[in-house]
């Protein structure tokens, strides 16, 4: 609730308010736009590369791109959110929990191992 209040009252990184409105696919299974804003509120980071990625792809495709390469799983935003004990807003967690059908077996295996090491099982 506190995160949502910060978002609604524009108390987070100003770049977050430049993010595009969600596409239909971005809110079909879970509201990825709101999850992204919560991650920004927690980490206080929203880079220009993030803005551009979401602008071009939308939230779902931007998150899928973040974890497309196995070596990228568990770094970047995941590491920042881990420090704040907020992995439920990471691309790894959201894609594994709600969009497993869009992941490869290798991605699922790596994400499951990563989450398990952090005390999360899906």
């Amino acid at each position: 609730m506190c995160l949502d209040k910060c978002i609604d009252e524009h108390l987070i990184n100003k770049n977050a308010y430049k993010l595009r409105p969600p596409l239909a696919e971005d809110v079909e299974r879970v509201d990825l736009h709101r999850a992204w804003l919560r991650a920004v509120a927690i980490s206080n980071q929203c880079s220009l590369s993030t803005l551009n990625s979401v602008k071009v792809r939308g939230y779902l495709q931007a998150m899928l791109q973040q974890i497309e390469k196995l070596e990228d799983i568990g770094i970047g935003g995941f590491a920042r959110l881990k420090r704040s004990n907020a992995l439920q807003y990471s691309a790894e967690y959201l894609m594994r929990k709600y969009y497993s059908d869009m992941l490869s077996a290798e991605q699922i295996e790596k994400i499951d191992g990563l989450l398990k090491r952090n005390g999360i099982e899906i």
Side-chain angles (χ1 to χ4, degrees):
M1 187 187 294
C2 182
L3 291 176
D4 289 331
K5 186 173 182 177
C6 289
I7 293 164
D8 294 342
E9 294 185 15
H10 294 262
L11 300 174
I12 65 173
N13 186 300
K14 64 182 175 167
N15 282 342
Y17 301 102
K18 297 176 186 175
L19 289 166
R20 67 176 291 153
L23 301 169
E25 68 180 19
D26 297 330
V27 294
E28 181 179 40
R29 299 181 193 179
V30 64
D31 188 344
L32 295 175
H33 173 248
R34 198 66 174 184
W36 203 298
L37 289 175
R38 288 175 180 150
V40 170
I42 291 165
S43 69
N44 197 33
Q45 292 193 9
C46 187
S47 68
L48 293 177
S49 63
T50 294
L51 287 173
N52 289 332
S53 181
V54 171
K55 180 181 177 183
V56 171
R57 295 173 184 83
Y59 297 91
L60 173 59
Q61 294 304 319
M63 285 186 182
L64 287 169
Q65 185 197 24
Q66 286 179 350
I67 61 170
E68 183 176 33
K69 296 178 186 172
L70 292 179
E71 61 268 15
D72 292 340
I73 293 174
I75 62 170
F78 185 91
R80 285 190 298 276
L81 291 168
K82 179 180 176 180
R83 287 191 294 269
S84 298
N85 198 27
L87 292 177
Q88 71 271 28
Y89 301 116
S90 69
E92 288 84 351
Y93 176 85
L94 291 165
M95 295 301 99
R96 177 61 178 101
K97 181 165 184 172
Y98 300 103
Y99 297 90
S100 290
D101 58 312
M102 296 181 166
L103 302 176
S104 70
E106 293 83 10
Q107 288 171 305
I108 290 170
E109 182 180 352
K110 183 157 186 185
I111 292 169
D112 283 352
L114 180 66
L115 292 175
K116 188 173 184 174
R117 286 190 301 278
N118 286 281
I120 300 170
E121 288 194 49
I122 294 180

